[in-house]
Amino acid sequence: MARNVTVAGCQMGPVSRNEGRQVVVKRLMDMMRAAHAKGARLCVFPETALTTFFPRWYMPDWNEVDTFFETEMPGPATRPLFDLAAELGVGFYLGYAEKIQENGVWHRYNTAILVDRQAKIVGKYRKVHLPGHSELDPKRPWQHLEKRYFEVGNLGFPTWRLHDPELGNAVMGMCICNDRRWPETWRVMGLRGVELVMLGYNTPSWNALGGGEDPKLRLFHNQLSLQAGCYQNGCYAVGVARAGLEDGVEMMAGSCIVAPSGEVMVETRTSGDEVIAATLDLDVCQFNKSTIFNFAAHRRIEHYGIITSQTAATPPE
Ligand code: ING
């Protein structure tokens, strides 16, 4: 019996700095309905989907920073999305800025949750690879202050098997944006048997300091990261952008669904709210996992120690 899951990438167009959560959540709900109409039973939304990508702004007032964070999930603004998910029987990945008290201390993370088709939160991931910088850089026309506003995620890269035939009883994993560029992200989930990686991203089309890659090359790097991750770990990936001109900064689109072969199954054509969907045959993952990338048969961990014992590169003299 084939294990199939129909999944949708729900790409968002811009969210302006003062766009209320209720307005944003309505956009997410509209896309969830459209995805359901396409047969999808799982929706992937972008990173920090509930607000603009606020790390582009330097805010000295932490009370203002905290207006972009959620202290409860679901909260009043997001409860309608969970209610719709339960009504339609659709699970979802949602990226958001999480503020939480642990052992009496407040922490802020760039977080994603996995919600099942009964609208129950069954998984959480906190972004490990935080790009950018932690202090205001006056040379930049816009900032990238993830290292200022978020702590490094403390949950590792887990995987979850959702025991739901409508979801193909899939082994799922999550990551967020910059994580996709690091092979370690994919391999840890690969070692945990991942079959479907869900990820949201907010990637500017241009480098704030000029130079760097042009938009076309950035789109190429986005798909390259997903294609390599999928091929080398025998999994599918759904990568979903927040795109378009957001408060004066052009954010790239390029949302796509990638197969274990590394082939792009479907991708968005616009930079706005757009739903793409595909039916994934999860048993296809087994070809990679049992032949080329049969980890048990072919990996030689006795030679890999440096990957976790050393951070920076040390080239020979
Ligand atoms: N954004 C970007 C990303 O990794 C970036 C940062 C852009 C890094 C381009 C390198 C090159 O897609 C987030 N939010 O991580």
Side-chain angles (χ1 to χ4, degrees), residues 208-280:
L209 295 173
E213 315 90 351
D214 67 14
K216 192 161 170 284
L217 190 54
R218 284 200 163 188
L219 283 165
F220 170 73
H221 288 161
N222 176 53
Q223 289 198 351
L224 176 68
S225 300
L226 273 66
Q227 291 174 294
C230 288
Y231 171 62
Q232 292 167 350
N233 295 282
C235 64
Y236 289 91
V238 183
V240 180
R242 165 117 90 241
L245 190 61
E246 186 170 86
D247 287 338
V249 180
E250 181 62 42
M251 305 297 282
M252 73 175 208
S255 305
C256 60
I257 300 176
V258 178
S261 64
E263 291 164 298
V264 174
M265 299 174 75
V266 61
E267 59 185 303
T268 51
R269 302 192 177 295
T270 72
S271 294
D273 287 15
E274 181 178 347
V275 176
I276 52 175
T279 297
L280 315 181

Coordinates of all heavy atoms in Angstrom, one line a residue, residues 208-280:
A208 N 22.6 43.2 1.6 CA 22.4 44.6 2.1 C 23.7 45.4 1.9 O 23.6 46.7 1.8 CB 22.1 44.5 3.6
L209 N 24.8 44.8 1.8 CA 26.1 45.5 1.7 C 26.5 45.6 0.2 O 27.6 46.0 -0.1 CB 27.2 44.9 2.5 CG 27.0 45.0 4.0 CD1 28.0 44.2 4.8 CD2 26.9 46.4 4.5
G210 N 25.6 45.2 -0.7 CA 26.0 45.2 -2.1 C 26.9 44.0 -2.5 O 27.3 43.3 -1.6
G211 N 27.1 43.8 -3.7 CA 28.0 42.7 -4.1 C 27.2 41.4 -3.8 O 26.0 41.4 -3.8
G212 N 27.9 40.4 -3.6 CA 27.3 39.1 -3.3 C 26.5 38.6 -4.5 O 26.8 39.0 -5.6
E213 N 25.6 37.7 -4.2 CA 24.9 37.0 -5.3 C 23.8 37.9 -5.8 O 23.2 38.6 -5.1 CB 24.3 35.7 -4.8 CG 25.2 34.8 -4.0 CD 25.1 35.2 -2.5 OE1 24.4 36.2 -2.1 OE2 25.7 34.4 -1.7
D214 N 23.5 37.8 -7.1 CA 22.3 38.5 -7.7 C 21.1 37.6 -7.4 O 21.2 36.5 -7.0 CB 22.5 38.8 -9.1 CG 22.5 37.5 -10.0 OD1 22.1 36.5 -9.5 OD2 22.9 37.6 -11.1
P215 N 19.9 38.2 -7.6 CA 18.6 37.4 -7.2 C 18.6 36.1 -7.9 O 18.1 35.1 -7.3 CB 17.5 38.4 -7.7 CG 18.1 39.7 -7.6 CD 19.6 39.6 -8.0
K216 N 19.0 36.0 -9.1 CA 18.9 34.7 -9.9 C 19.8 33.7 -9.2 O 19.4 32.5 -9.0 CB 19.4 34.9 -11.3 CG 19.1 33.8 -12.3 CD 19.1 34.3 -13.7 CE 19.0 33.1 -14.7 NZ 20.4 32.5 -14.8
L217 N 21.0 34.1 -8.8 CA 21.9 33.1 -8.1 C 21.4 32.8 -6.7 O 21.5 31.6 -6.3 CB 23.3 33.8 -8.0 CG 24.5 32.8 -7.6 CD1 24.5 31.6 -8.5 CD2 25.8 33.6 -7.6
R218 N 20.7 33.7 -6.1 CA 20.2 33.4 -4.7 C 19.0 32.3 -4.8 O 18.9 31.5 -4.0 CB 19.7 34.6 -4.0 CG 20.8 35.5 -3.5 CD 20.4 36.5 -2.4 NE 21.6 36.9 -1.7 CZ 21.6 37.6 -0.6 NH1 20.5 38.0 0.0 NH2 22.7 37.9 0.0
L219 N 18.3 32.5 -5.9 CA 17.2 31.5 -6.1 C 17.8 30.2 -6.4 O 17.4 29.1 -5.9 CB 16.3 32.0 -7.3 CG 15.3 33.1 -7.0 CD1 14.7 33.7 -8.2 CD2 14.2 32.6 -6.1
F220 N 18.9 30.2 -7.2 CA 19.6 28.9 -7.5 C 20.1 28.3 -6.2 O 20.0 27.1 -6.0 CB 20.8 29.2 -8.5 CG 21.7 28.0 -8.7 CD1 21.3 26.9 -9.4 CD2 23.0 28.0 -8.1 CE1 22.2 25.9 -9.6 CE2 23.8 26.9 -8.3 CZ 23.4 25.9 -9.0
H221 N 20.7 29.1 -5.3 CA 21.3 28.5 -4.1 C 20.2 28.0 -3.2 O 20.4 27.0 -2.5 CB 22.0 29.6 -3.3 CG 23.3 30.0 -4.0 ND1 24.0 31.2 -3.7 CD2 24.1 29.4 -4.9 CE1 25.1 31.3 -4.4 NE2 25.2 30.1 -5.2
N222 N 19.0 28.6 -3.2 CA 17.9 28.1 -2.4 C 17.5 26.7 -2.9 O 17.5 25.7 -2.1 CB 16.7 29.0 -2.6 CG 15.4 28.5 -1.9 OD1 15.5 28.2 -0.7 ND2 14.4 28.3 -2.6
Q223 N 17.3 26.5 -4.2 CA 16.9 25.2 -4.7 C 18.1 24.2 -4.6 O 17.9 23.0 -4.2 CB 16.5 25.3 -6.2 CG 15.1 26.0 -6.3 CD 14.4 25.8 -7.6 OE1 14.9 25.2 -8.5 NE2 13.1 26.2 -7.6
L224 N 19.3 24.7 -4.8 CA 20.5 23.8 -4.7 C 20.6 23.2 -3.3 O 20.8 22.0 -3.1 CB 21.7 24.6 -5.0 CG 23.1 23.9 -4.8 CD1 23.3 22.9 -5.9 CD2 24.2 24.9 -4.8
S225 N 20.3 24.0 -2.3 CA 20.4 23.5 -0.9 C 19.3 22.4 -0.6 O 19.6 21.4 0.0 CB 20.2 24.7 0.1 OG 21.1 25.7 -0.1
L226 N 18.1 22.7 -1.2 CA 17.0 21.7 -1.0 C 17.3 20.4 -1.8 O 17.1 19.3 -1.3 CB 15.7 22.3 -1.3 CG 14.9 23.1 -0.2 CD1 15.7 24.3 0.2 CD2 13.5 23.4 -0.6
Q227 N 17.7 20.6 -3.0 CA 18.0 19.5 -3.9 C 19.0 18.5 -3.3 O 18.9 17.3 -3.3 CB 18.3 20.0 -5.3 CG 17.2 20.6 -6.0 CD 17.6 21.2 -7.4 OE1 18.3 22.2 -7.4 NE2 17.1 20.7 -8.4
A228 N 20.1 19.2 -2.8 CA 21.2 18.4 -2.3 C 20.8 17.7 -1.0 O 21.0 16.5 -0.8 CB 22.4 19.3 -2.0
G229 N 20.1 18.4 -0.2 CA 19.6 17.8 1.1 C 18.7 16.6 0.9 O 18.8 15.6 1.5
C230 N 17.8 16.8 -0.1 CA 16.8 15.7 -0.4 C 17.5 14.5 -1.0 O 17.3 13.4 -0.6 CB 15.8 16.2 -1.4 SG 14.6 17.4 -0.6
Y231 N 18.4 14.7 -2.0 CA 19.1 13.6 -2.6 C 20.0 12.9 -1.7 O 19.9 11.6 -1.6 CB 19.9 14.2 -3.8 CG 20.9 13.2 -4.4 CD1 20.4 12.0 -5.1 CD2 22.2 13.4 -4.4 CE1 21.2 11.1 -5.6 CE2 23.1 12.4 -5.0 CZ 22.6 11.3 -5.6 OH 23.4 10.4 -6.1
Q232 N 20.7 13.6 -0.9 CA 21.8 12.9 0.0 C 21.1 12.3 1.2 O 21.8 11.5 1.9 CB 22.8 14.0 0.4 CG 23.7 14.4 -0.8 CD 24.5 15.7 -0.4 OE1 24.3 16.3 0.6 NE2 25.4 16.0 -1.3
N233 N 19.9 12.6 1.5 CA 19.2 12.0 2.7 C 17.9 11.2 2.4 O 17.2 10.8 3.3 CB 19.0 13.1 3.8 CG 20.3 13.6 4.3 OD1 21.0 13.0 5.1 ND2 20.7 14.8 3.7
G234 N 17.6 11.1 1.1 CA 16.5 10.3 0.7 C 15.2 10.9 1.2 O 14.4 10.1 1.9
C235 N 14.9 12.2 1.0 CA 13.7 12.8 1.6 C 13.1 13.8 0.6 O 13.7 14.2 -0.4 CB 14.0 13.4 2.9 SG 15.1 14.9 2.8
Y236 N 11.9 14.2 0.9 CA 11.2 15.3 0.1 C 11.4 16.5 1.0 O 11.7 16.5 2.2 CB 9.7 15.0 0.0 CG 9.3 13.9 -0.9 CD1 9.1 12.6 -0.5 CD2 9.0 14.2 -2.3 CE1 8.7 11.6 -1.3 CE2 8.6 13.2 -3.1 CZ 8.5 11.9 -2.7 OH 8.1 10.9 -3.5
A237 N 11.3 17.7 0.3 CA 11.4 19.0 1.1 C 10.3 19.9 0.5 O 10.0 19.9 -0.7 CB 12.7 19.6 1.0
V238 N 9.7 20.7 1.4 CA 8.8 21.8 1.0 C 9.4 23.0 1.5 O 9.5 23.2 2.8 CB 7.4 21.5 1.5 CG1 6.5 22.6 1.0 CG2 6.9 20.2 1.1
G239 N 9.9 23.9 0.7 CA 10.5 25.2 1.1 C 9.6 26.3 0.7 O 9.2 26.4 -0.5
V240 N 9.2 27.2 1.7 CA 8.2 28.2 1.4 C 8.7 29.6 1.8 O 9.1 29.8 3.0 CB 6.9 27.8 2.2 CG1 5.8 28.9 2.0 CG2 6.4 26.4 1.8
A241 N 8.6 30.5 0.9 CA 9.1 31.9 1.1 C 8.1 32.8 1.6 O 6.9 32.6 1.4 CB 9.6 32.4 -0.3
R242 N 8.6 33.9 2.2 CA 7.9 35.1 2.3 C 8.5 36.0 1.3 O 9.8 36.1 1.3 CB 8.0 35.8 3.6 CG 7.5 37.2 3.4 CD 6.3 37.5 4.1 NE 6.9 38.0 5.3 CZ 6.8 37.5 6.5 NH1 5.9 36.6 6.7 NH2 7.4 37.9 7.5
A243 N 7.8 36.5 0.3 CA 8.4 37.1 -0.9 C 7.8 38.5 -1.2 O 6.9 38.9 -0.5 CB 8.2 36.2 -2.1
G244 N 8.4 39.1 -2.2 CA 7.9 40.4 -2.6 C 8.6 41.6 -1.9 O 9.5 41.4 -1.1
L245 N 8.2 42.8 -2.3 CA 8.8 44.0 -1.7 C 8.2 44.3 -0.3 O 7.0 44.7 -0.2 CB 8.5 45.2 -2.7 CG 9.3 46.5 -2.3 CD1 10.8 46.2 -2.4 CD2 8.9 47.6 -3.3
E246 N 8.9 44.0 0.7 CA 8.4 44.0 2.1 C 9.1 45.2 2.8 O 10.3 45.2 3.0 CB 8.6 42.7 2.8 CG 8.0 42.7 4.2 CD 8.1 41.3 4.8 OE1 9.1 41.0 5.5 OE2 7.1 40.6 4.7
D247 N 8.3 46.3 3.0 CA 8.8 47.5 3.7 C 10.1 47.9 3.0 O 11.2 48.2 3.6 CB 9.1 47.2 5.2 CG 7.7 47.2 5.9 OD1 6.8 47.7 5.4 OD2 7.7 46.5 7.0
G248 N 10.1 48.0 1.7 CA 11.2 48.5 0.9 C 12.3 47.5 0.6 O 13.3 47.8 -0.1
V249 N 12.2 46.3 1.1 CA 13.3 45.3 0.9 C 12.7 44.1 0.0 O 11.7 43.5 0.4 CB 13.8 44.7 2.2 CG1 14.9 43.7 2.0 CG2 14.4 45.8 3.1
E250 N 13.4 43.9 -1.1 CA 12.9 42.8 -2.0 C 13.3 41.4 -1.4 O 14.4 41.1 -1.2 CB 13.6 43.0 -3.4 CG 13.1 42.0 -4.4 CD 11.6 42.1 -4.7 OE1 11.1 43.2 -4.8 OE2 11.0 41.0 -4.8
M251 N 12.2 40.6 -1.2 CA 12.4 39.3 -0.6 C 12.2 38.3 -1.8 O 11.2 38.4 -2.5 CB 11.5 39.0 0.5 CG 11.6 40.0 1.6 SD 13.2 40.1 2.5 CE 13.0 38.6 3.5
M252 N 13.1 37.3 -1.9 CA 13.0 36.4 -3.0 C 11.9 35.3 -2.8 O 11.5 35.0 -1.7 CB 14.3 35.7 -3.3 CG 14.7 34.6 -2.3 SD 16.2 33.8 -2.8 CE 15.9 32.2 -2.0
A253 N 11.3 34.9 -3.9 CA 10.3 33.8 -3.8 C 10.9 32.4 -4.0 O 11.8 32.1 -3.3 CB 9.2 34.1 -4.9
G254 N 10.5 31.7 -5.1 CA 11.2 30.4 -5.3 C 10.7 29.3 -4.4 O 11.4 28.3 -4.3
S255 N 9.5 29.4 -3.8 CA 9.0 28.3 -3.0 C 8.9 27.1 -3.9 O 8.5 27.2 -5.1 CB 7.6 28.6 -2.5 OG 7.7 29.9 -1.8
C256 N 9.2 25.9 -3.4 CA 9.2 24.7 -4.2 C 9.1 23.5 -3.4 O 9.3 23.5 -2.2 CB 10.5 24.7 -5.0 SG 12.0 24.6 -4.0
I257 N 8.8 22.4 -4.1 CA 8.7 21.1 -3.5 C 9.7 20.2 -4.2 O 9.7 20.1 -5.5 CB 7.3 20.5 -3.6 CG1 6.3 21.4 -2.9 CG2 7.2 19.1 -3.0 CD1 4.8 21.0 -2.9
V258 N 10.6 19.5 -3.5 CA 11.7 18.8 -4.1 C 11.6 17.3 -3.7 O 11.2 17.0 -2.6 CB 13.0 19.4 -3.6 CG1 14.2 18.6 -4.2 CG2 13.2 20.8 -4.1
A259 N 11.9 16.4 -4.7 CA 11.8 15.0 -4.5 C 13.1 14.4 -4.0 O 14.2 15.0 -4.2 CB 11.3 14.3 -5.8
P260 N 13.1 13.1 -3.5 CA 14.4 12.5 -3.1 C 15.4 12.4 -4.3 O 16.6 12.3 -4.1 CB 13.9 11.1 -2.7 CG 12.5 11.3 -2.3 CD 12.0 12.3 -3.2
S261 N 14.9 12.4 -5.5 CA 15.8 12.4 -6.7 C 16.6 13.7 -6.8 O 17.5 13.8 -7.6 CB 15.0 12.2 -8.0 OG 14.1 13.3 -8.1
G262 N 16.1 14.8 -6.1 CA 16.7 16.1 -6.2 C 15.9 16.9 -7.2 O 16.2 18.1 -7.4
E263 N 15.0 16.3 -7.9 CA 14.2 17.1 -8.9 C 13.1 18.0 -8.3 O 12.5 17.6 -7.3 CB 13.5 16.1 -9.9 CG 14.5 15.4 -10.8 CD 13.9 14.1 -11.4 OE1 13.5 13.2 -10.7 OE2 13.8 14.1 -12.7
V264 N 13.0 19.2 -8.8 CA 12.0 20.1 -8.4 C 10.6 19.7 -8.9 O 10.5 19.6 -10.2 CB 12.3 21.6 -8.8 CG1 11.2 22.5 -8.4 CG2 13.6 22.0 -8.2
M265 N 9.7 19.3 -8.1 CA 8.4 18.8 -8.5 C 7.4 20.0 -9.0 O 6.7 19.9 -10.0 CB 7.7 18.0 -7.4 CG 8.5 16.8 -7.0 SD 7.8 16.0 -5.5 CE 6.4 15.2 -6.3
V266 N 7.5 21.1 -8.2 CA 6.6 22.2 -8.5 C 7.2 23.4 -7.8 O 7.9 23.3 -6.8 CB 5.2 22.0 -8.0 CG1 5.1 21.7 -6.5 CG2 4.2 23.1 -8.5
E267 N 7.1 24.6 -8.4 CA 7.6 25.8 -7.8 C 6.6 27.0 -8.1 O 5.9 26.9 -9.0 CB 9.0 26.2 -8.3 CG 9.1 26.4 -9.7 CD 10.6 26.6 -10.2 OE1 11.2 27.5 -9.6 OE2 11.1 25.8 -11.0
T268 N 6.7 28.0 -7.2 CA 5.8 29.2 -7.4 C 6.3 30.0 -8.6 O 7.4 30.0 -9.0 CB 5.8 30.1 -6.1 OG1 7.1 30.4 -5.8 CG2 5.1 29.4 -5.0
R269 N 5.3 30.8 -9.1 CA 5.6 31.6 -10.3 C 5.5 33.1 -10.0 O 5.8 33.9 -10.8 CB 4.6 31.3 -11.4 CG 4.7 29.8 -11.9 CD 4.0 29.6 -13.2 NE 4.1 28.2 -13.6 CZ 5.2 27.6 -13.9 NH1 6.4 28.3 -13.9 NH2 5.3 26.3 -14.3
T270 N 5.0 33.4 -8.8 CA 4.8 34.8 -8.4 C 5.6 35.1 -7.1 O 6.2 34.2 -6.6 CB 3.3 35.1 -8.1 OG1 3.0 34.4 -6.8 CG2 2.4 34.5 -9.2
S271 N 5.5 36.4 -6.7 CA 6.1 36.8 -5.4 C 5.1 37.1 -4.4 O 5.3 37.9 -3.5 CB 7.1 38.0 -5.7 OG 8.2 37.6 -6.4
G272 N 3.9 36.6 -4.6 CA 2.8 36.9 -3.7 C 2.3 35.7 -3.0 O 2.9 34.7 -3.0
D273 N 1.1 35.9 -2.4 CA 0.4 34.7 -1.8 C 0.1 33.7 -2.9 O -0.6 34.0 -3.8 CB -0.9 35.1 -1.1 CG -0.6 35.9 0.2 OD1 0.5 36.4 0.4 OD2 -1.6 36.1 1.0
E274 N 0.7 32.5 -2.8 CA 0.5 31.5 -3.8 C 0.7 30.1 -3.2 O 1.6 29.9 -2.5 CB 1.6 31.7 -4.9 CG 1.4 30.7 -6.1 CD 2.4 30.9 -7.2 OE1 3.1 32.0 -7.3 OE2 2.6 30.0 -8.1
V275 N -0.3 29.3 -3.6 CA -0.3 27.9 -3.1 C 0.2 26.9 -4.2 O -0.4 26.9 -5.3 CB -1.7 27.5 -2.6 CG1 -1.7 26.0 -2.1 CG2 -2.2 28.4 -1.5
I276 N 1.2 26.1 -3.8 CA 1.6 25.0 -4.7 C 1.3 23.7 -4.0 O 1.4 23.7 -2.7 CB 3.1 25.1 -5.1 CG1 4.0 25.3 -3.9 CG2 3.3 26.3 -6.1 CD1 5.5 25.2 -4.2
A277 N 1.1 22.7 -4.7 CA 0.8 21.4 -4.0 C 1.3 20.2 -4.9 O 1.5 20.3 -6.1 CB -0.7 21.2 -3.8
A278 N 1.6 19.1 -4.2 CA 2.1 17.9 -4.8 C 1.7 16.7 -4.0 O 1.7 16.8 -2.7 CB 3.6 18.0 -5.1
T279 N 1.5 15.6 -4.6 CA 1.3 14.3 -3.9 C 2.6 13.6 -3.8 O 3.2 13.3 -4.9 CB 0.2 13.5 -4.5 OG1 -1.1 14.2 -4.5 CG2 0.0 12.2 -3.8
L280 N 3.0 13.3 -2.6 CA 4.4 12.7 -2.4 C 4.2 11.2 -2.1 O 3.4 10.8 -1.2 CB 5.1 13.4 -1.3 CG 5.0 14.9 -1.2 CD1 5.8 15.4 0.0 CD2 5.5 15.5 -2.5

